[in-house]
Amino acid sequence: MRSRRLLTVTTALVAVLGFTACGATANKSDSATQDSGKPATGLRLMVPNTAGGGYDTTARTAAKAMEDAKIATGVQVFNLPGAGGTVGLQRIVNEKGNGKLAMQMGLGVVGATYTSKSKATLTQTTPIAKMIEEAGAIVVPKNSPYRTIQDLVTAWKANPKGLAVGGGSSPGGPDHLLPMQLAQAVGINPKDVNFVSYDGGGELLPALLGSKIAFGTSGFGEFLDQVESGQVRVLAVSSEQPIEALKDVPTLKGSGIDLVFTNWRGIVAPPGISDADKKVWIDALTKMHDSAEWKAELQKHGWTDAFVTGDEFGKFLTDQDKAVADILTKLGLAA
């Protein structure tokens, strides 16, 4: 159901627009020890964009939940930003056989493989788990003249090229698809949208706070701290129903705009890892998913549980890759 929703989003948009690194294989005795029921050790989770963004928040939250629930110990999260996530993707592909390493990723990386003309592809990786879905948000800085989504849409329709919209993903990613879909829904030609791409929410937020863009589109969870401190305002969210964490914020649909849009995030590992190492990752994440610690984080961040693993996630990735390739080809952004 969820994948069909995203396919519907991308299909509608199509209709409108007519370092090289050496890998190291994990020690097999480690896997045997971890399979014995002891906490997993030595796991490293790469975030392929800057600190502070949605991938970063998800990865660090997952690592902490695994630590707190004693599912894994010493989980290292590190950032390797660049080219919409494809620098990190190339690293993962180069680390063939390294069962200790995995990468946090999502829809944005799917699109970036095409727009960045990446030699590395997600089909080369080992699918581990799809974790969450998250609604998008339309966000403005506190000093913005736009107090409601209707205020923003009125100004945007009057001057679509003059109002820059920023997103923390490359073209083809969720922060790009959302404003394109929003433009279509309110009667703006998506080709007239002045979209500015940032490498993750960590770069998008300063641009928003510095009024370098008129508004931003990204996962709403990336802005919760700034909303609470009064630095930014969320004008609307793209979910079907209002978000518990943003009780006073209307949905686009509830504001008279016929659009529902969700993003997703998951984890992939290098190619060629052993079945035992793959099992360590899937078992650890499955235990995390079932833990009280993770359930509390889902509620705290307003994330929707979308957990699937292994081959099921692999099929989902294949479907997403095709859908995004189709839309970017129509846009002239993919060969």
Side-chain angles (χ1 to χ4, degrees):
M1 176 66 73
R2 294 186 177 99
S3 62
R4 287 201 296 272
R5 174 181 290 176
L6 182 54
L7 291 174
T8 299
V9 170
T10 54
T11 301
L13 184 51
V14 169
V16 173
L17 296 173
F19 330 44
T20 303
C22 294
T25 302
N27 189 306
K28 301 211 178 279
S29 64
D30 289 345
S31 296
T33 299
Q34 291 163 1
D35 283 344
S36 69
K38 295 180 180 179
T41 60
L43 302 182
R44 304 178 73 221
L45 190 52
M46 182 202 307
V47 176
N49 54 22
T50 54
Y55 293 162
D56 188 68
T57 300
T58 307
R60 294 183 189 280
T61 299
K64 185 177 185 301
M66 285 191 283
E67 295 268 4
D68 290 348
K70 296 180 172 54
I71 295 163
T73 60
V75 181
Q76 180 189 1
V77 179
F78 67 100
N79 300 77
L80 184 61
T86 57
V87 170
L89 177 60
Q90 185 66 66
R91 167 74 177 272
I92 281 288
V93 171
N94 288 348
E95 291 271 1
K96 183 177 181 179
N98 185 354
K100 294 292 191 181
L101 180 66
M103 181 178 77
Q104 184 73 64
M105 49 75 69
L107 179 59
V109 177
V110 179
T113 61
Y114 291 98
T115 58
S116 298
K117 296 179 171 57
S118 172
K119 292 182 180 178
T121 67
L122 285 165
T123 57
Q124 295 172 279
T125 66
T126 301
I128 299 296
K130 178 186 174 191
M131 300 167 68
I132 63 165
E133 290 183 349
E134 181 183 39
I138 312 302
V139 189
V140 296
K142 64 179 181 180
N143 59 350
S144 170
Y146 313 119
R147 309 298 301 183
T148 67
I149 189 65
Q150 289 84 1
D151 290 343
L152 175 61
V153 168
T154 298
W156 198 22
K157 290 175 72 173
N159 186 15
K161 293 183 179 179
L163 268 66
V165 50
S169 65
S170 299
D175 295 3
H176 173 247
L177 292 176
L178 176 52
M180 295 299 171
Q181 272 297 104
L182 179 58
Q184 184 267 332
V186 300
I188 295 172
N189 186 338
K191 290 183 178 179
D192 291 335
V193 173
N194 180 7
F195 179 76
V196 183
S197 177
Y198 295 91
D199 197 1
E203 290 188 3
L204 172 62
L205 184 59
L208 184 67
L209 296 177
S211 297
K212 293 181 180 179
I213 52 178
F215 65 104
T217 55
S218 194
F220 76 88
E222 299 191 30
F223 300 108
L224 285 178
D225 289 344
Q226 288 71 34
V227 171
E228 292 176 1
S229 66
Q231 292 178 286
V232 303
R233 295 197 310 274
V234 179
L235 301 185
V237 290
S238 65
S239 52
E240 183 79 40
Q241 300 294 331
I243 300 295
E244 180 68 22
L246 298 169
K247 294 181 180 179
D248 298 326
V249 176
T251 64
L252 290 171
K253 197 169 183 179
S255 302
I257 300 170
D258 189 17
L259 176 62
V260 174
F261 184 91
T262 54
N263 183 21
W264 58 269
R265 298 189 189 117
I267 290 176
V268 297
I273 68 171
S274 69
D275 289 343
D277 285 331
K278 181 178 178 180
K279 185 176 187 299
V280 167
W281 276 106
I282 291 178
D283 285 354
L285 290 169
T286 299
K287 291 175 184 177
M288 181 206 72
H289 168 260
D290 295 338
S291 70
E293 287 82 358
W294 181 249
K295 287 176 170 50
E297 293 294 346
L298 289 176
Q299 184 172 5
K300 174 184 174 181
H301 293 282
W303 292 334
T304 299
D305 185 12
F307 193 73
V308 296
T309 63
D311 292 343
E312 188 175 355
F313 179 43
K315 182 180 184 307
F316 175 83
L317 275 180
T318 299
D319 292 342
Q320 292 294 286
D321 187 77
K322 183 180 185 306
V324 172
D326 288 347
I327 177 62
L328 292 180
T329 298
K330 293 290 185 181
L331 286 165
L333 296 174

